[in-house]
Amino acid sequence: MFVLCLQWVVGPAAWAVGDEAWFDAVKQKATPAQLYTFLYAMPKGGDLHDHLTGAGRSEWWWAAALAQETHGYTYYTKVRINNCAPFDVNEYGRAPYLLLFRNLQESHYKQLSACEQGEFKRLQDLTPAEKTGWLNSIRLNKPYEGRDEFFGAHWQRLNDITRNPYIISDILLDNMRAFGREGLIYLEMMNGSMGFLKPDGSPIPPDDVVALYRKILASPEAKATGVTVRFQTSVLRFAPTAEQQLRAEYAFVDKHRDLYVGINFVGREDNGKGYPLRFLSTLRDLRRQYPAINLAIHAGEEDQPDHHVRDSLLLGAKRIGHGVNLIEDPQTMLLMRDNHFMVEINLISNLLLEYVPDFAHHPFPEYLRIGIPVALSTDDRGMWDSNLTDEFYVAVTNFNLSWHEIVTLGRNSIQYAFVDAATKQKLLKEYDQRIARFESEFKRKGWAAFKDVHPVNYSFACKHFKLCFPPKDPAAPTDSPQTNLPAALPHDFAVTN
């Protein structure tokens, strides 16, 4: 036991020589349910690549939207097509007409023609079948759904629901609670403060939205989760006004640096109008005006070779989101080895959006094992109906992660965060203490250490891992504690100190 303590006193580098036999035994002997429980209970550090509007589970959006009448909002959703639009309607625009379950707040619903109003119903008036359709409409739950469904329908359906700061605050709290139960201590979420609307459709000043976020994060409910939160703001890379957006977001982040710690470029990379070097001159101009602002840029989220990762580093990015096709750019891989640039790995996202044909083809283990810093993250977990435990389960079962590699992933998820230095050191210390305590407890008690651990998972794990943890009470909320661990958890994993 002295050796274990010494390793954590002298730092993570010394930990690499530690005994891994106990974790090898876990991987060899644990049932899938036991391994999942182990990973669920395990401290995980943070999640650095997480779109807040993509992180809301369908059930969370539903509950939050129905609760908004207290703030004066009522929502309608499209449940039928009355062929009200002209026949030359552009179905490939931002708001396609032939899209069921598109959501409008009442002020926008009242602007529709009588014919179009007949296509919509209030959320609270939906039949059970319509509610099921609504819930399924904003998650990838069919084998034939993929990249086009995600980029071309999910966000367009949510629509006005994402422009209510009270709903976004509810989704933030839902995520903090769920991630806290999974053992996370830090979230760095992509979440803006512009474009929000009052019930009458008039704009809400961004500073008012920031004040609401601060109030939520200071609340007892948020504090009780044990999760520290910071935000990035985003620029839609292929928008005609993307340069203007970037200038506005730069000024905004500079004004709120304690809460907003970076800027991200988002949107499909296969839309060529958003190529990274489009923004080089704008960023150089902004860096003449403002102290440094962190950049974490989506790059390499493609299934064909390009130089977007390299070009994003030239823009000043410190973290690369996805980096799937980095494997096709050996010179940039050499640049990133043992360097201070990190790749945010999203295994489930890359599978469901068809950037890899299966997990076995994902380049993650190559990056990890040649020295490119990486960390696991969830991207749009609500739309996958998954969690961070699922990401670790995929990584362990497909790539045989060592315990040292798992701990490195957890540390990276804090070490490469954009949070201020003092908070980062506090979080690193907390993570190191928690992961050491977790290991020590498991070595002493074996599976008895998890007698009070009740994993919470969702449809992704149920479908892909055949691991379903139904609520103890069928009528209980989806996120209630689960209790279907194997009746007899073996104790042959206990390690004598």
Side-chain angles (χ1 to χ4, degrees):
M1 193 61 197
F2 172 76
V3 175
L4 176 65
C5 293
L6 176 61
Q7 290 161 350
W8 286 100
V9 169
V10 299
W15 194 91
V17 300
D19 172 31
E20 293 248 349
W22 70 275
F23 188 62
D24 289 338
V26 170
K27 292 184 290 185
Q28 293 165 11
K29 299 180 182 180
T31 67
Q34 289 168 346
L35 178 60
Y36 193 92
T37 301
F38 178 97
L39 295 173
Y40 184 87
M42 179 186 74
K44 299 177 185 64
D47 188 341
L48 300 181
H49 188 112
D50 190 323
H51 302 260
L52 182 52
T53 52
R57 301 188 61 249
S58 298
E59 289 79 3
W60 298 349
W61 287 116
W62 176 267
L66 290 183
Q68 293 308 303
E69 289 196 343
T70 59
H71 297 293
Y73 296 86
T74 299
Y75 290 95
Y76 292 75
T77 195
K78 193 167 189 172
V79 296
R80 62 179 62 88
I81 305 293
N82 290 341
N83 293 317
C84 303
F87 288 107
D88 62 352
V89 66
N90 176 10
E91 274 302 298
Y92 302 97
R94 186 172 179 83
Y97 174 71
L98 299 175
L99 187 65
L100 294 176
F101 302 114
R102 179 170 168 83
N103 298 288
L104 299 177
Q105 67 179 49
E106 188 171 37
S107 61
H108 289 158
Y109 166 80
K110 289 182 175 179
Q111 296 174 16
L112 300 177
S113 67
C115 178
E116 289 180 288
Q117 286 184 358
E119 300 174 323
F120 285 77
K121 291 175 70 172
R122 291 191 315 163
L123 289 188
Q124 51 266 58
D125 296 333
L126 298 190
T127 66
E130 289 168 340
K131 177 183 175 181
T132 297
W134 189 95
L135 293 171
N136 287 336
S137 74
I138 47 179
R139 55 189 168 209
L140 291 179
N141 69 321
K142 301 290 192 304
Y144 53 81
E145 293 177 333
R147 192 183 312 174
D148 290 336
E149 171 76 9
F150 172 74
F151 285 113
H154 277 43
W155 309 95
Q156 291 83 348
R157 286 191 175 109
L158 281 171
N159 194 36
D160 282 352
I161 286 179
T162 66
R163 305 180 76 182
N164 180 333
Y166 300 103
I167 289 182
I168 297 301
S169 296
D170 286 347
I171 299 299
L172 173 61
L173 270 176
D174 286 334
N175 272 281
M176 292 175 70
R177 293 184 185 109
F179 276 122
R181 286 191 292 268
E182 280 192 88
L184 272 77
I185 55 176
Y186 181 70
L187 285 176
E188 193 168 294
M189 309 192 89
M190 286 167 261
N191 178 41
S193 295
M194 302 182 187
F196 288 94
L197 301 175
K198 297 177 182 177
D200 64 3
S202 60
I204 301 176
D207 285 352
D208 291 355
V209 177
V210 172
L212 176 60
Y213 293 156
R214 293 187 191 280
K215 181 180 178 181
I216 293 298
L217 291 173
S219 69
E221 294 85 356
K223 297 288 187 183
T225 68
V227 178
T228 297
V229 172
R230 296 293 186 272
F231 296 134
Q232 300 173 31
T233 191
S234 304
V235 174
L236 186 61
R237 65 194 312 146
F238 53 75
T241 59
E243 287 83 359
Q244 295 95 306
Q245 290 180 34
L246 179 56
R247 291 183 182 278
E249 298 294 1
Y250 230 83
F252 175 82
V253 171
D254 181 62
K255 184 178 180 180
H256 301 286
R257 285 177 180 262
D258 61 321
L259 184 59
Y260 279 84
V261 295
I263 296 175
N264 212 310
F265 293 170
V266 303
R268 295 182 69 150
E269 285 187 77
D270 54 12
N271 183 327
K273 294 179 180 179
Y275 66 98
L277 292 185
R278 168 182 172 179
F279 303 98
L280 183 57
S281 62
T282 304
L283 281 166
R284 286 178 172 172
D285 184 46
L286 289 167
R287 282 192 281 261
R288 295 186 186 100
Q289 303 174 50
Y290 296 95
I293 289 177
N294 295 306
L295 296 179
I297 297 178
H298 287 60
E301 191 183 11
E302 268 277 38
D303 44 16
Q304 60 185 5
D306 59 33
H307 294 290
H308 285 186
V309 173
R310 180 199 65 188
D311 294 346
S312 295
L313 295 178
L314 180 61
L315 293 185
K318 296 181 179 179
R319 300 202 314 252
I320 297 297
H322 296 283
V324 177
N325 71 3
L326 171 62
I327 196 78
E328 306 291 341
D329 186 353
Q331 290 185 326
T332 305
M333 286 184 69
L334 284 172
L335 172 66
M336 296 181 72
R337 284 186 66 187
D338 303 312
N339 213 321
H340 59 276
F341 308 114
M342 194 196 81
V343 180
E344 303 154 352
I345 299 293
N346 305 283
L347 297 169
I348 292 171
S349 172
N350 297 155
L351 177 76
L352 294 183
L353 299 188
E354 303 162 339
Y355 293 111
V356 293
D358 51 58
F359 290 127
H361 286 82
H362 202 287
F364 158 67
E366 182 73 3
Y367 303 161
L368 172 69
R369 288 163 178 162
I370 69 168
I372 296 177
V374 290
L376 297 178
S377 45
T378 60
D379 198 14
D380 295 288
R381 64 182 294 263
M383 295 180 180
W384 326 141
D385 214 23
S386 67
N387 59 23
L388 192 57
T389 301
D390 295 344
E391 303 283 345
F392 275 92
Y393 189 88
V394 167
V396 171
T397 56
N398 284 271
F399 308 119
N400 191 28
L401 295 188
S402 70
W403 183 244
H404 173 63
E405 289 171 335
I406 287 176
V407 174
T408 298
L409 292 170
R411 288 196 106 255
N412 283 352
S413 68
I414 299 174
Q415 184 64 56
Y416 290 87
F418 292 156
V419 70
D420 64 276
T423 303
K424 180 181 294 186
Q425 290 307 310
K426 178 182 176 183
L427 291 169
L428 281 170
K429 181 179 179 181
E430 182 179 351
Y431 174 75
D432 287 348
Q433 291 173 341
R434 291 179 65 179
I435 199 73
R437 188 163 57 244
F438 174 85
E439 178 184 345
S440 176
E441 189 80 355
F442 185 77
K443 285 182 174 181
R444 288 192 305 108
K445 297 182 179 179
W447 292 105
F450 303 143
K451 63 183 178 64
D452 295 321
V453 174
H454 306 295
V456 176
N457 68 3
Y458 313 112
S459 65
F460 181 88
C462 193
K463 290 178 182 178
H464 290 262
F465 311 147
K466 308 305 179 187
L467 290 172
C468 307
F469 293 85
K472 178 172 57 176
D473 174 4
T478 307
D479 275 320
S480 60
Q482 317 294 304
T483 57
N484 72 329
L485 291 180
L489 290 174
H491 290 260
D492 58 343
F493 291 89
V495 177
T496 302
N497 293 319

